[in-house]
Amino acid sequence: MDRTNWTEIEFILQGLSEYPKVEKLLFVICLMMYLVILLGNSTLIILILLDSRLHTPMYFFLGNLSLLDICYTSSFTPSVLIHFLSKKKTISFTRCVVQMSVSYTMGSTECVLLAVMAYDCYVAICNPLRYPIIMSKALCIQMAALSWGLGFLNSLTKTILAIRLPFCGKNVINQFVCEILTFVKLACADISLNEIAIMLGNVIFLFSPLLLICISYIFILSNVLRINSAEGRKKAFSTCSAHLTVETVFYGTILFTYMKPKSKDSAFDKLITLFYGVVTPMLNPIIYSLRNTEVLGAMRKLMRRHWFWRKG
């Protein structure tokens, strides 16, 4: 396919076009969830930047996670909201590739970042005395940069392979958003190389971080169980409870979405995929706010500062 023809190609995002009333309801639900995502994650980032008590490795990685969630949902949610209200549900080749590439980058990055956060939790509990030395500022920046860099390279590789394919059909994507596997299946050429690359990427970026997370928590659990006092065990568990909850929600949703048998009702699968993209980023700031006294304390401090400022 010639690059000059890219501007002529359009994709139809079918979504739930056959259920217009459902789409109106989904518009309201997704809009509210997107606003919660923006507000919750932006608030967490602001709190981490302003409160010196949160200038620790754990909150540094949490700030990266919040920024990642904002970028991930913003890559497709505004487009989905527009399509819910419009009759013409087309997207250009360039916009589809950008949407697909950004969301794939963020998803890959989050997998690596969650493994990094699990390692941080392991060091905090299993090597508390050496924690400030091991988790230095330089190492934290390097680990965060590595997460973003690996996610970008993974997405770039799949995107380059995908945009080289020729498209000569109706180009109907039976989803709300452009997904890389659905995208390449529309090509009128051999896509075996693309499918192998996507499968290898999924193994490396899904199961390798998941394995590292499981190993980290096995060591954490064995260490916690050796603590004699109940108060000590409770404090150790509370240190990583929010991390464990977020990781369980993230990987649980992915495994349920992509490994369950396909439903006869394709509309159900579309809704599951859509809500997977917005539910996890919405829950992350809620989980960290409700289960973390330091975040709640920083939030109260910011609210008091704002109240005193308004009072003059």
Side-chain angles (χ1 to χ4, degrees):
M1 183 183 64
D2 230 2
R3 286 197 181 190
T4 53
N5 293 333
W6 286 2
T7 56
E8 301 173 8
I9 298 175
E10 284 189 332
F11 295 89
I12 301 172
L13 295 171
Q14 192 169 4
L16 291 178
S17 303
E18 62 272 29
Y19 305 108
K21 292 184 178 179
V22 175
E23 286 195 325
K24 301 296 187 296
L25 177 61
L26 286 174
F27 172 82
V28 176
I29 295 173
C30 289
L31 177 61
M32 293 176 64
M33 294 174 76
Y34 182 52
L35 293 176
V36 171
I37 290 168
L38 293 179
L39 179 63
N41 286 287
S42 298
T43 302
L44 264 181
I45 293 172
I46 292 170
L47 289 175
I48 291 168
L49 289 174
L50 295 182
D51 197 313
S52 58
R53 293 174 300 176
L54 303 183
H55 293 174
T56 62
M58 183 178 76
Y59 293 107
F60 171 73
F61 294 129
L62 178 56
N64 277 266
L65 181 63
S66 294
L67 177 61
L68 189 151
D69 285 339
I70 291 173
C71 295
Y72 175 67
T73 52
S74 296
S75 68
F76 65 87
T77 306
S79 175
V80 170
L81 293 173
I82 292 171
H83 286 172
F84 279 149
L85 299 180
S86 61
K87 292 183 179 180
K88 187 180 179 182
K89 302 180 186 298
T90 58
I91 185 170
S92 68
F93 180 90
T94 304
R95 285 178 57 209
C96 187
V97 169
V98 170
Q99 183 183 95
M100 175 181 70
S101 178
V102 173
S103 61
Y104 203 74
T105 299
M106 298 302 114
S108 302
T109 303
E110 184 158 359
C111 291
V112 181
L113 188 61
L114 288 176
V116 169
M117 294 172 77
Y119 174 73
D120 173 68
C121 191
Y122 157 76
V123 177
I125 290 180
C126 298
N127 294 282
L129 298 179
R130 298 185 61 217
Y131 179 78
I133 300 172
I134 296 174
M135 298 304 295
S136 64
K137 184 178 180 180
L139 180 63
C140 291
I141 293 173
Q142 290 169 5
M143 293 173 81
L146 180 66
S147 301
W148 287 90
L150 289 175
F152 174 75
L153 289 176
N154 183 42
S155 176
L156 181 64
T157 305
K158 310 302 183 297
T159 303
I160 290 174
L161 289 174
I163 62 177
R164 297 174 61 192
L165 296 170
F167 296 86
C168 47
K170 291 184 178 180
N171 297 332
V172 178
I173 296 177
N174 193 23
Q175 273 294 350
F176 294 102
V177 297
C178 291
E179 288 186 331
I180 192 161
L181 188 57
T182 310
F183 180 87
V184 300
K185 283 183 177 179
L186 295 175
C188 46
D190 181 29
I191 61 168
S192 55
L193 179 61
N194 300 79
E195 290 181 323
I196 292 171
I198 292 170
M199 182 187 68
L200 287 175
N202 289 342
V203 170
I204 294 171
F205 282 86
L206 277 177
F207 295 104
S208 298
L210 180 60
L211 178 62
L212 292 174
I213 290 170
C214 291
I215 292 172
S216 297
Y217 280 102
I218 288 172
F219 280 109
I220 289 170
L221 182 62
S222 64
N223 189 276
V224 169
L225 292 177
R226 289 200 298 267
I227 299 175
N228 294 324
S229 67
E231 186 64 29
R233 286 195 297 270
K234 182 180 177 181
K235 184 178 180 181
F237 274 123
S238 66
T239 302
C240 293
S241 60
H243 287 330
L244 183 59
T245 304
V246 167
E247 287 155 359
T248 302
V249 170
F250 179 77
Y251 277 101
T253 311
I254 287 181
L255 294 176
F256 175 78
T257 302
Y258 292 104
M259 293 193 167
K260 71 179 182 62
K262 291 296 179 182
S263 172
K264 292 181 180 179
D265 180 13
S266 60
F268 177 75
D269 291 317
K270 295 178 195 177
L271 289 173
I272 290 294
T273 304
L274 174 66
F275 283 109
Y276 154 71
V278 293
V279 168
T280 306
M282 182 186 70
L283 290 178
N284 286 352
I286 296 174
I287 291 170
Y288 278 105
S289 297
L290 294 178
R291 298 181 67 89
N292 197 304
T293 55
E294 290 177 318
V295 173
L296 288 173
M299 194 175 298
R300 294 191 194 100
K301 181 180 177 182
L302 183 64
M303 290 175 66
R304 284 197 302 267
R305 186 184 299 175
H306 178 69
W307 184 82
F308 282 121
W309 178 79
R310 291 194 64 182
K311 289 291 183 181

